[in-house]
Amino acid sequence: MKPSTRLVHPPAPSGSAPQTVNPVIQKGSTVLLPDAAALYDDDAYVTYGRGGLSVHEVLKAALCDLEQATAVELYPSGVAAVGGALLAVLQAGDELLMTDTAYKPTRRFCDRTLARFGIQTRYYDPTLPTETIAGLIGPRTRALFLESPGSLSFEMQDVPALAALARSRGMLSLIDNTWAAGHLFKPLNVGVDISIQALTKYVGGHSDAFMGSAVSRDRDVAARLHAGVVDLGWSVAAEDAYVMIRGLRTLDLRMQRHGENGLRVARWLEGRAEVAAVLHPALPTSPAHEIWRRDFTGACGLFAFVLKPAPPDATAAFLNALELIGLGFSWGGFESLAIDCDPQLKVRSFCKHYGGALVRLHIGLEDPADIIADLEAGFAAYRDGAA
Ligand SMILES: *Cc1c(COP(=O)(O)O)cnc(C)c1O
């Protein structure tokens, strides 16, 4: 063959590839098919790489196993998974009942994109009794969206009761299960139709990759989710799928440590004079502790606390004095992080007044004594700022 052809088609390696314990990162848009009939035989062959190749198949099987599902779709981020699932099951004229404590970009998707396609979102207070939420269901309400615990303020929802309510009214139920990492709580086992999580958080676990998933058991629901991904052309990179598989291997261990470290810091915060309240569902003082104990097998490292009322500068002084704990969004990685939540609470429809600044902490895998020492330095700066 001529030189230009040989550059395009170098000799293939001979013999079979060595067997490694991890899957091969198979990359490809084009898939070579054995004969003309196979080109259009989508049932028997993977005919194109956009829907995923071998490494994606390994990840999908692991995620189905994790959440005891029969089908899963992968999305390029958690936000894409939330939006993709909602677009897949709703249509123009429908109404969506959305928890008021949803992750803020979920709310933005509803208010901007869903609204533009004629889908109306009605927000509900997640602390209302199930019967009261039932009263909000109208003739056009097609779906109930849950997030438990809620973002930033950690309210627990009675998920089994709400899933049963949705089913009894012919609605679908969806949940953002990111806090549990699909591991500490299994929503499909209590009747939820679609469980979504940002794999970006604990499954990835190292703050270096984006991905989302939506799992289901019902064939019709699964088909709708799949059509949504196919139609919108979403695809995730093989390297990122590999990173998620690697994260899953240590998920159980990491969640145990995040949970223990988080509770240790939360208990310490409960004893601090500067703290008005600690919002952590695994603390017996939490109003939703019983639900957490009934439904969850553990806690992650994410919770919030309320600072006693002080000048606004005092909160900034607290955050700015932290050295080990980084200031940054996202969570689920190995590292401890903090944010103040008040600017995000303003968009809520039923925002409680917490009686002071709300600070969210992600407790990482560091030694809790070092995290506590850092928080102590923060409180010293806070007292100076408040003085
Ligand atoms: C971070 C997060 C998401 C979105 O995940 P991304 O991968 O960052 O898009 C969705 N839901 C919750 C609760 C989150 O915390």
Side-chain angles (χ1 to χ4, degrees):
M1 288 196 219
K2 300 272 190 288
S4 62
T5 306
R6 294 211 308 274
L7 280 174
V8 175
H9 297 280
S14 60
S16 59
Q19 190 74 33
T20 50
V21 293
N22 286 299
V24 171
I25 298 180
Q26 189 185 20
K27 291 178 68 69
S29 51
T30 298
V31 175
L32 290 175
L33 291 151
D35 54 38
L39 283 171
Y40 294 97
D41 189 355
D42 292 328
D43 293 332
Y45 295 94
V46 172
T47 58
Y48 198 45
R50 194 195 294 118
L53 298 167
S54 54
V55 66
H56 303 82
E57 287 312 309
V58 174
L59 174 61
K60 284 175 155 182
L63 290 172
C64 281
D65 199 45
L66 176 71
E67 294 207 59
Q68 293 163 24
T70 55
V72 59
E73 294 300 328
L74 302 177
Y75 302 80
S77 70
V79 167
V82 169
L86 287 169
L87 276 181
V89 301
L90 293 169
Q91 61 187 37
D94 287 352
E95 188 183 73
L96 164 68
L97 268 182
M98 169 62 68
T99 175
D100 194 42
T101 56
Y103 177 61
K104 197 176 153 208
T106 296
R107 187 180 199 106
R108 188 171 58 204
F109 180 82
C110 294
D111 295 347
R112 200 153 65 184
T113 298
L114 287 185
R116 196 153 48 80
F117 288 96
I119 297 157
Q120 211 189 329
T121 302
R122 187 165 182 191
Y123 293 95
Y124 66 91
D125 178 347
T127 62
L128 290 175
T130 303
E131 313 82 74
T132 315
I133 294 172
L136 302 175
I137 298 171
R140 291 176 171 279
T141 317
R142 304 303 310 151
L144 175 66
F145 196 103
L146 317 168
E147 190 178 324
S148 180
S151 273
L152 307 178
S153 42
F154 302 92
E155 297 83 353
M156 295 296 297
Q157 298 192 264
D158 189 346
V159 178
L162 290 164
L165 167 67
R167 189 147 300 189
S168 74
R169 304 292 289 267
M171 297 156 53
L172 287 178
S173 54
L174 303 89
I175 192 167
D176 186 328
N177 197 31
T178 304
W179 193 86
H183 186 54
L184 308 172
F185 178 47
K186 312 285 181 192
L188 303 188
N189 284 353
V190 297
V192 174
D193 294 298
I194 300 173
S195 173
I196 298 159
Q197 71 158 319
L199 302 170
T200 309
K201 305 290 166 56
Y202 283 114
V203 171
H206 294 73
S207 309
D208 55 1
F210 283 99
M211 203 177 295
S213 63
V215 295
S216 61
R217 272 183 201 165
D218 179 84
R219 278 171 74 109
D220 175 57
V221 170
R224 283 203 267 173
L225 289 172
H226 185 64
V229 168
V230 169
D231 290 355
L232 288 165
W234 276 318
S235 185
V236 305
E239 289 89 344
D240 290 344
Y242 182 94
V243 158
M244 295 305 162
I245 293 167
R246 182 157 68 184
L248 283 170
R249 313 239 194 245
T250 55
L251 184 66
D252 181 58
L253 270 175
R254 287 185 289 112
M255 295 308 280
Q256 283 180 40
R257 183 61 73 87
H258 282 291
E260 282 166 20
N261 284 4
L263 261 178
R264 182 142 159 223
V265 174
R267 290 205 182 94
W268 178 81
L269 285 167
E270 278 195 311
R272 292 295 305 197
E274 300 87 348
V275 172
V278 181
L279 311 182
H280 189 316
L283 286 178
T285 48
S286 159
H289 181 66
E290 285 312 312
I291 291 184
W292 174 82
R293 240 175 45 145
R294 183 192 67 189
D295 294 344
F296 282 59
T297 55
C300 72
L302 192 77
F303 65 95
F305 67 94
V306 182
L307 282 164
K308 289 213 174 127
D313 290 355
T315 307
F318 170 81
L319 292 172
N320 290 336
L322 301 176
E323 286 189 0
L324 179 64
I325 302 171
L327 304 187
F329 293 99
S330 201
W331 42 279
F334 47 82
E335 77 287 15
S336 291
L337 294 168
I339 58 165
D340 60 318
C341 304
D342 292 4
Q344 289 195 58
L345 297 175
K346 289 188 187 122
V347 299
R348 290 190 174 175
S349 309
F350 307 100
C351 190
K352 303 207 172 21
H353 197 263
Y354 293 97
L358 188 62
V359 174
R360 188 186 75 184
L361 291 178
H362 177 253
I363 301 303
L365 303 175
E366 305 93 339
D367 190 306
D370 290 325
I371 300 168
I372 285 171
D374 204 37
L375 290 168
E376 253 179 280
F379 284 131
Y382 168 85
R383 287 192 302 271
D384 290 346

